[in-house]
Each structure stands twice: as structure tokens, then as C-alpha cells.
Amino acid sequence: EKGGKWQRALSFLSVMHQASVDLTTTNHNAAISACDKANEWKHALKVFTTIYQADLQPHTISCNAAISVCEKVSKWPSALMLLLPVSQAAADVFGLTAAIGACEKGSEWLNTVA
């Protein structure tokens, strides 16, 4: 994750998956966080969805990191989707603040009060 090495983090996750290593949510969180630091929102969201595909449960950390990258690149619809109960991950105050920031950056201020 350090130094914005998001490609390495994604590669490592892929190699672990191909080697049939039991991946954890923490492994996914590290990759999401690396993508967040590099503003690679599409990759971060893809990794977030693979948590479910691996029959794992996302943590608050997973949700917050995915929302954070959406805020950084003004992808407010994606940030709000991560707040839906369907995601089964609970964002905390940091995730909610990032979602509000994403709406603000996208000039969607009405969504912040809805």
C-alpha cells in the first residue's frame, strides 16, 4: 500500500486468488486503500465488489476507503451507493463525511440533506 503502489497491490491480490490462498477482507482492504491513495476509483470499487464474490463481509474500513476514493474524484453516485443497506457494510462518521464531500464536489448538495 505504501507509496501508492496500487498496481502491485492488485497484482498481489490476483496472484493470491489464483494460488487458491484464502483471502481475507483485510487483504482486500489493503488493495482498496492503495487504490484510494492513487485515486483509482474504478479499481477500488472493483476490489470492493470482489469482497462479496469471495463470500467475505466488508468492514467499515472497506466501505470508508471505497467512499473516500469516490469523494476524491467527485463520483458522488458511487459514494452514495456504498451507503445503501444492500452493501451490508457500515460506514462510520469518516465514510459519511466522505460521501457528503463527494456530493459537494459534484454540486449535488441536495443529496447531502436527503
Side-chain angles (χ1 to χ4, degrees):
E1 176 181 336
K2 253 185 173 174
K5 305 290 185 193
W6 65 274
Q7 299 99 331
R8 188 176 298 167
L10 295 181
S11 177
F12 186 67
L13 201 61
S14 177
V15 167
M16 289 177 67
H17 177 71
Q18 291 171 359
S20 298
V21 172
D22 286 335
L23 294 170
T24 66
T25 302
T26 302
N27 301 128
H28 289 82
N29 289 349
I32 293 169
S33 186
C35 292
D36 177 21
K37 286 179 175 47
N39 294 335
E40 291 290 334
W41 69 278
K42 287 182 183 178
H43 294 290
L45 294 182
K46 184 172 182 177
V47 173
F48 186 85
T49 61
T50 64
I51 293 173
Y52 292 107
Q53 294 167 352
D55 290 327
L56 298 170
Q57 198 64 27
H59 299 155
T60 299
I61 294 167
S62 319
C63 194
N64 287 350
I67 292 171
S68 174
V69 72
C70 291
E71 176 196 13
K72 289 177 184 174
V73 296
S74 302
K75 298 297 179 187
W76 63 270
S78 297
L80 294 182
M81 289 294 292
L82 290 166
L83 294 176
L84 293 176
V86 172
S87 74
Q88 298 177 0
D92 62 10
V93 68
F94 298 106
L96 295 172
T97 301
I100 291 169
C103 291
E104 177 186 23
K105 288 179 182 177
S107 298
E108 290 294 325
W109 62 272
L110 285 177
N111 282 312
T112 66
V113 294

